[in-house]
Amino acid sequence: MNLWKRVCLYLGRKKGKTFTLLAFLLVMATLMLTCLSIRSATETANANIKKALLGYFTINAKTLDTGLSADILRQILDTKGLSGNYALRSYSYANYYDADGNSLVINKEGAAQMPEEYENAGKIVANSDSEKDSYFTEGGFEITEGNPLTSESKNAVLLHDRFAKQNGLSVGDTMLLGSIIDEGDTIPVTITGLFTNTKGQDAVGITPSYDLYENIVFTDLSTVSYLLYGTAEERRVQYGDFYVNDPDELDRIMAQVQEINGINWDECTLTRYDKDYQNAKQSLEGLQNIVFIAIAIVSVVSFLVLVLFMTLRLRGRIHETGIYLAMGISKGTVLLQYLLEVFIVAAIALLLSYGASAAISDQVGSKLLSQITAETYETVDLTENTETEKQPAQDLKLSDVVVEISTTDYAFVWAFGLVLCLASTALAAYPIMKMKPKNILSQMS
């Protein structure tokens, strides 16, 4: 009787033991494959998080007499690791005049106070892209007419539609912005757009007149540079937000930026904003640790249980082993038969595990990823205060990661399963195989 025939006959004859071994190996392979699939998905999610939750840092140079000059900004943007995405901001206050130098009327209703010299003044907000200013992205401001301001805009403003109507102004008209300190120092600007607020005024009753929404004017960076520093040609700014390619490199990049000469960094404030990323990263690392521990436990338990199962199985086959040896079949051939029996069952279990794991890992993994990415995210308002709010992970598309079985993971499970079967069978068979044939035959009787 040849080797393969003996293997098939044994598997068919011992249906109960064969099914038990198949069920155990199927569970083992499914658990291992599921854990590996989730681990791979967390790595993909981590890469997506770096793209979705861009880390950045802000330089506050408001206390500097010169602000951030064009030369300093150029050196900062040359720093390795920056994505090239940045936003420049400045804030000031100015008196409002029409083209003939007559004072314009500001809104006073709802103001807590009107400070002296601010009777016709309001808040000036400059951003390299007005549409990305937090008043528009979070405060409910919307353009109703005209065009937003960009980094290329010069001597241009956006007015609140109620302020414009109150003073008889429209898109295309010219007005003057005047310095609060030096009343005779003005700069002409063109109205390129109107906006309105869809949300009510914050802090009603305690807001000074110049901070009321109707009295806010958006302008370009060059115009504010003139009002703050007297430099319209050489644009200087108070704040810069600089985004990085990898949030993990924020510390290194910020340290390198502070080595730039030509600016007193002791009078500047650098603030990092990567809380979103760190929260999500910490959650993903926690899941990865859990998955790693699960893989280790599944591996150890599977090996121990399989060794015990094979030991009990082979002890019951000492009589069979003795007969094979008496027939002149070598120990190596007998051991090979036992290995083939296990390998055939393992191959069936590994094939079945693909479908079982695909169904389980997608459900379990997607649920875990959606839960751990639903963290508290940080927002920053115009006054540099911070507030936190719950933001669903779906809004950032972090839970869209598909948990699927990769070829590498499946190949690893195959290799792991076959090696585990080889090691456990060899270990269980060792006590029998080291015995001499006559000792085995004597135990038969």
Side-chain angles (χ1 to χ4, degrees):
M1 187 183 300
N2 62 40
L3 176 64
W4 285 102
K5 187 174 182 179
R6 294 199 304 271
V7 169
C8 295
L9 287 175
Y10 179 82
L11 292 177
R13 186 173 69 253
K14 302 293 184 179
K15 294 183 179 62
K17 292 182 178 180
T18 300
F19 179 78
T20 301
L21 179 61
L22 175 64
F24 172 76
L25 291 176
L26 176 59
V27 171
M28 178 208 72
T30 301
L31 289 175
M32 183 67 68
L33 199 53
T34 299
C35 290
L36 290 174
S37 299
I38 295 175
R39 186 198 63 175
S40 298
T42 57
E43 293 176 354
T44 303
N46 189 47
N48 289 348
I49 282 173
K50 287 186 178 182
K51 297 178 182 179
L53 300 176
L54 295 176
Y56 70 99
F57 66 95
T58 293
I59 299 178
N60 179 349
K62 184 178 180 180
T63 56
L64 294 179
D65 293 335
T66 58
L68 294 174
S69 66
D71 180 61
I72 295 298
L73 290 172
R74 201 160 30 243
Q75 293 183 64
I76 292 173
L77 293 173
D78 287 339
T79 304
K80 184 179 180 181
L82 291 180
S83 66
N85 184 17
Y86 66 95
L88 304 177
R89 297 177 283 120
S90 289
Y91 306 97
S92 184
Y93 296 95
N95 288 309
Y96 302 148
Y97 307 97
D98 62 18
D100 298 325
N102 301 312
S103 296
L104 298 176
V105 180
I106 65 171
N107 178 44
K108 303 172 184 177
E109 183 180 353
Q113 58 177 326
M114 181 180 293
E116 188 177 352
E117 299 182 352
Y118 286 82
E119 292 84 356
N120 301 97
K123 184 175 184 178
I124 303 296
V125 178
N127 195 306
S128 51
D129 186 347
S130 62
E131 285 187 312
K132 294 182 180 179
D133 190 274
S134 59
Y135 274 117
F136 285 92
T137 59
E138 300 169 15
F141 283 25
E142 292 180 354
I143 295 288
T144 58
E145 185 179 348
N147 301 310
L149 302 176
T150 67
S151 59
E152 303 300 324
S153 300
K154 190 172 183 179
N155 301 125
V157 292
L158 301 177
L159 301 183
H160 198 288
D161 53 7
R162 287 197 290 273
F163 175 83
K165 183 177 180 180
Q166 184 177 8
N167 290 279
L169 298 173
S170 59
V171 174
D173 291 346
T174 299
M175 62 179 289
L176 303 176
L177 299 179
S179 170
I180 298 293
I181 299 174
D182 185 356
E183 293 186 4
D185 192 7
T186 62
I187 182 172
V189 291
T190 301
I191 303 170
T192 59
L194 303 178
F195 66 89
T196 189
N197 59 293
T198 60
K199 296 181 180 179
Q201 175 75 47
D202 288 337
V204 176
I206 62 174
T207 302
S209 59
Y210 50 71
D211 277 341
L212 294 177
Y213 287 167
E214 290 85 351
N215 301 330
I216 294 176
V217 169
F218 291 88
T219 188
D220 57 276
L221 295 169
S222 297
T223 300
V224 171
S225 181
Y226 175 80
L227 293 172
L228 289 171
Y229 310 109
T231 56
E233 297 302 324
E234 182 187 0
R235 189 176 64 181
R236 297 174 178 269
V237 298
Q238 292 178 325
Y239 299 90
D241 304 324
F242 303 94
Y243 292 81
V244 299
N245 291 317
D246 187 351
D248 290 327
E249 290 197 332
L250 255 179
D251 287 333
R252 192 270 302 170
I253 294 172
M254 291 173 66
Q256 190 171 338
V257 165
Q258 293 181 81
E259 294 176 358
I260 295 175
N261 297 321
I263 183 172
N264 187 356
W265 291 108
D266 292 334
E267 295 185 11
C268 296
T269 302
L270 272 71
T271 307
R272 61 184 296 156
Y273 293 101
D274 63 340
K275 185 177 179 181
D276 301 355
Y277 170 71
Q278 294 299 336
N279 284 343
K281 178 185 176 183
Q282 185 177 7
S283 299
L284 285 174
E285 287 179 345
L287 178 58
Q288 286 178 328
N289 291 335
I290 293 174
V291 171
F292 177 80
I293 293 173
I295 291 174
I297 292 175
V298 170
S299 301
V300 173
V301 171
S302 297
F303 177 73
L304 295 177
V305 172
L306 197 54
V307 168
L308 178 61
F309 180 86
M310 294 305 300
T311 299
L312 295 175
R313 180 174 177 172
L314 293 182
R315 280 183 180 177
R317 301 180 67 179
I318 294 179
H319 183 274
E320 181 182 351
T321 304
I323 293 176
Y324 288 150
L325 296 176
M327 294 170 58
I329 300 174
S330 66
K331 289 183 179 180
T333 304
V334 175
L335 178 60
L336 180 60
Q337 175 186 334
Y338 297 159
L339 288 173
L340 288 175
E341 292 169 359
V342 178
F343 283 169
I344 290 175
V345 177
I348 297 174
L350 289 167
L351 290 173
L352 295 175
S353 69
Y354 185 90
S357 180
I360 295 174
S361 60
D362 183 56
Q363 296 296 322
V364 175
S366 298
K367 186 175 181 179
L368 287 173
L369 288 174
S370 63
Q371 287 178 345
I372 65 174
T373 51
E375 296 292 332
T376 300
Y377 296 97
E378 183 180 47
T379 60
V380 182
D381 65 18
L382 280 173
T383 58
E384 304 306 306
N385 295 323
T386 59
E387 59 183 7
T388 57
E389 60 182 7
K390 285 290 184 181
Q391 181 176 353
Q394 287 81 354
D395 292 345
L396 297 171
K397 298 182 180 180
L398 299 179
S399 59
D400 293 342
V401 178
V402 178
V403 183
E404 57 185 3
I405 300 172
S406 67
T407 304
T408 302
D409 291 339
Y410 193 45
F412 176 82
V413 172
W414 266 86
F416 174 80
L418 295 179
V419 170
L420 189 66
C421 291
L422 173 63
S424 59
T425 303
L427 188 61
Y430 176 73
I432 300 175
M433 293 302 161
K434 73 175 183 178
M435 297 172 61
K436 295 181 179 181
K438 65 178 182 178
N439 293 332
I440 296 177
L441 293 173
S442 65
Q443 288 193 14
M444 291 172 53
S445 59

